[in-house]
Amino acid sequence: MLLIRGGTVVTAETSQRADVLCDDARRIVAVGPDLESPSGCDILDTGGLLVMPGGIDPHTHMEMPFMGSVASEDFYTGTCAGVAGGTTTIIDFVIPEPGHSLLDAWKDWRSKAEKAVSDYSFHVAVTHWDEKVHEDMGTLTRECGVNSFKHFMAYKNALMVDDDVLLRSISRALELGALCNIHAENGDAVAYLQADLLKRGMTGPQAHPLSRPPSVEGEAAQRVIAIAGLLGAPIYIVHVSTEEATAAIAAARARGQRVYGEVLAQHLVIDDSVYADPDWLGAAQHVMSPPFRPKHHQKALWAGLASGQLQTTATDHCCFCAGQKEQGRNDFTKIPNGTPGIEDRMSVLWHHGVLTGKLTPQEFVAITSTNTAKIFNIHPRKGSVSVGADADLVLWDPQASRTVSAKTHHQNVDYNIYEGMTLTGLARYTISGGKVVWADNDLRVTRGAGQYVERPCFSPDMQAAIHRKTTS
Ligand code: URP
Ligand code: ZN
Ligand code: ZN
């Protein structure tokens, strides 16, 4: 057993002095002041640290095959980096190749993830449509603990699905009580702009943001919101990066539609000036989709999070080393898209959010953990500090600082997009399943200790949407 003593427990709702007792079955068994320590119990004296639910990153891509490469971070190294930054659960993406079985791909990802050191779960992507997809969605929701399906409106001739697939898949997911995730960018527009830029001789990474301007995201967000509205289905839009998409989500919510928006930590603090880097690799390392945006979009994203119109933060952790980015040296459309960040998300949010007064500590907990647990129907097991919840905790030092560097990070990638940034607020201890896995810069993980988290369908929000549909 483990007794965490002398901390201030911060949840999405409250902040109070309390001890936390974790048993050997990975659960929290008591929360309160001055708890007795059972005999033989390990004691962790926090010295006044904040005790918060472990971070949940709802958007990662460990060892993902993508654009002719495979992401360098695997489930072992990626979850190590996660716990070093206070993240104790990830929701990664199973991505079947178009035409392939969703169920087989899920099995494949399950075996890849067995080496994870902390808990993990999966969204499953729908990359084409046929009867087998319809059937597999049923099997995945009923037998495999999957309650969310992903759709890419971009990546033409690869992962992209058209409106017909969106309609069929969102409708099928609703029937099953599952939530659809959407990468909202107009893939036809991107392909057209890419071809045009290349024809005009613009082959470098500077062309990447020009091929995916904000309106490309705004249009797709509006379109998928309209499609989901027709069906009466809730949707979750991943990596919202623009004022336009934020406004589309806020407008839909004001009409009573259940639309959720996720923000990446990197989009909150890094802008499109990175593409002006004269060093090809420096710019290529920032090639991700949606791209980094002009600074004024950041204001809308922060406001969206603070107002609750956007609910979660993620990383879209998708690592490609220099040699992999190099494959697009002569053609920016071939640079594998993706940036790292799982280790730094919580610190970036604390430093740039809480310490600037944009967020309260409770809002920090909500957007780094609790809201994700609620939306993906694993609350209060995850995202809470309460009796019966999983003993996944971060002991947060709100005053300590560190300077981010690829030389010292735990991510299996040769750069860090926050290189040189000094951040105040860090994970001093991380507890996963009742075990200390990170203690004052020391990783104490066990390969394979992470468990697969099954997520049931028919979350309360989904039930309400279905009830509304049947009564309207
Ligand atoms: O650039 C990105 N985001 N790479 C990962 C795939 C995706 O679109 O989420
Ligand atoms: Zn995406
Ligand atoms: Zn992604």
Side-chain angles (χ1 to χ4, degrees):
M1 294 184 97
L2 175 68
L3 177 63
I4 300 161
R5 206 148 63 178
T8 297
V9 172
V10 182
T11 65
E13 297 85 28
T14 58
S15 174
Q16 58 186 358
R17 293 300 292 244
D19 300 342
V20 181
L21 182 65
C22 312
D23 69 7
D24 292 330
R26 305 172 61 92
R27 296 276 185 272
I28 295 173
V29 288
V31 181
D34 307 318
L35 294 181
E36 291 288 316
S37 81
S39 70
C41 176
D42 291 329
I43 296 177
L44 181 52
D45 267 310
T46 71
L49 296 173
L50 307 183
V51 181
M52 307 191 288
I56 306 174
D57 189 337
H59 189 156
T60 66
H61 298 283
M62 306 301 174
E63 49 192 300
M64 175 202 192
F66 191 46
M67 295 182 72
S69 242
V70 178
S72 59
E73 189 87 279
D74 69 23
F75 281 91
Y76 173 73
T77 58
T79 49
C80 284
V83 299
T87 290
T88 50
T89 303
I90 59 169
I91 314 182
D92 203 89
F93 290 85
V94 170
I95 310 216
E97 277 180 47
H100 288 220
S101 150
L102 273 61
L103 198 54
D104 288 350
W106 175 82
K107 288 179 187 158
D108 192 21
W109 255 262
R110 280 292 309 261
S111 72
K112 289 198 275 192
E114 276 172 5
K115 53 189 168 299
V117 306
S118 60
D119 288 1
Y120 53 92
S121 196
F122 294 118
H123 313 284
V124 177
V126 170
T127 49
H128 70 288
W129 191 258
D130 59 21
E131 265 313 299
K132 178 76 168 64
V133 174
H134 183 274
E135 186 188 316
D136 278 359
M137 287 173 80
T139 309
L140 286 163
T141 52
R142 283 191 295 266
E143 297 170 23
C144 305
V146 171
N147 73 6
S148 51
F149 294 95
K150 173 74 178 285
H151 305 77
F152 293 92
M153 295 172 79
Y155 307 125
K156 191 172 177 175
N157 300 323
L159 304 175
M160 175 173 143
V161 290
D162 62 16
D163 293 354
D164 181 58
V165 175
L166 284 174
L167 281 155
R168 290 171 195 275
S169 184
I170 296 173
S171 155
R172 173 67 171 149
L174 182 64
E175 172 180 286
L176 297 167
L179 179 65
C180 286
N181 293 4
I182 315 289
H183 171 135
E185 284 187 301
N186 181 324
D188 285 319
V190 172
Y192 175 87
L193 292 170
Q194 285 178 330
D196 185 56
L197 287 155
L198 288 174
K199 203 164 71 194
R200 291 192 281 131
M202 298 182 69
T203 58
Q206 293 74 14
H208 177 69
L210 303 178
S211 71
R212 316 179 92 100
S215 59
V216 158
E217 181 179 327
E219 185 280 329
Q222 284 185 26
R223 179 157 40 101
V224 73
I225 287 169
I227 288 172
L230 287 175
L231 300 169
I235 47 164
Y236 176 95
I237 302 187
V238 301
H239 49 45
V240 173
S241 73
T242 59
E243 264 172 17
E244 288 85 339
T246 305
I249 292 169
R253 291 172 67 84
R255 293 192 299 272
Q257 217 176 314
R258 287 182 192 275
V259 181
Y260 308 102
E262 166 196 284
V263 183
L264 305 184
Q266 59 268 44
H267 281 138
L268 288 164
V269 298
I270 296 173
D271 63 53
D272 63 349
S273 59
V274 292
Y275 299 116
D277 191 336
D279 171 41
W280 184 90
L281 182 59
Q285 284 169 333
H286 290 88
V287 166
M288 65 166 297
S289 297
F292 292 98
R293 302 297 190 186
K295 224 175 179 45
H296 63 95
H297 291 278
Q298 292 172 2
K299 208 170 159 194
L301 300 180
W302 281 114
L305 287 170
S307 65
Q309 300 292 6
L310 304 173
Q311 297 77 28
T312 67
T313 58
T315 60
D316 200 359
H317 186 73
C318 187
C319 300
F320 296 107
C321 294
Q324 299 174 288
K325 292 278 183 187
E326 203 57 46
Q327 78 184 35
R329 171 65 74 168
N330 301 314
D331 176 349
F332 75 93
T333 68
K334 297 196 164 55
I335 300 170
N337 284 208
T339 55
I342 193 169
E343 191 163 346
D344 303 309
R345 175 182 67 126
M346 307 270 286
S347 289
V348 167
L349 264 296
W350 187 270
H351 181 94
H352 292 279
V354 179
L355 296 188
T356 57
K358 293 187 185 81
L359 300 170
T360 66
Q362 285 79 10
E363 286 165 347
F364 170 86
V365 172
I367 66 167
T368 56
S369 184
T370 310
N371 290 351
T372 294
K374 286 182 179 168
I375 292 169
F376 293 105
N377 207 21
I378 44 174
H379 188 265
R381 174 180 170 191
K382 302 283 187 192
S384 81
V385 183
S386 60
V387 173
D390 283 3
D392 288 352
L393 301 162
V394 57
L395 274 49
W396 194 256
D397 188 334
Q399 267 134 25
S401 297
R402 68 191 171 95
T403 299
V404 178
S405 175
K407 292 196 186 76
T408 49
H409 73 194
H410 298 81
Q411 301 173 150
N412 187 35
V413 63
D414 56 6
Y415 73 106
N416 190 307
I417 47 164
Y418 304 111
E419 186 73 34
M421 194 181 272
T422 298
L423 297 171
T424 298
L426 52 81
R428 282 275 297 283
Y429 298 90
T430 304
I431 320 289
S432 170
K435 299 268 179 302
V436 176
V437 289
W438 170 252
D440 270 329
N441 272 324
D442 185 24
L443 269 177
R444 300 181 184 172
V445 296
T446 306
R447 193 179 174 90
Q451 294 191 352
Y452 174 62
V453 179
E454 297 203 2
R455 292 176 293 120
C457 289
F458 297 103
S459 67
D461 288 11
M462 193 59 71
Q463 286 181 38
I466 293 166
H467 184 57
R468 183 171 175 192
K469 194 174 154 82
T470 50
T471 53
S472 65

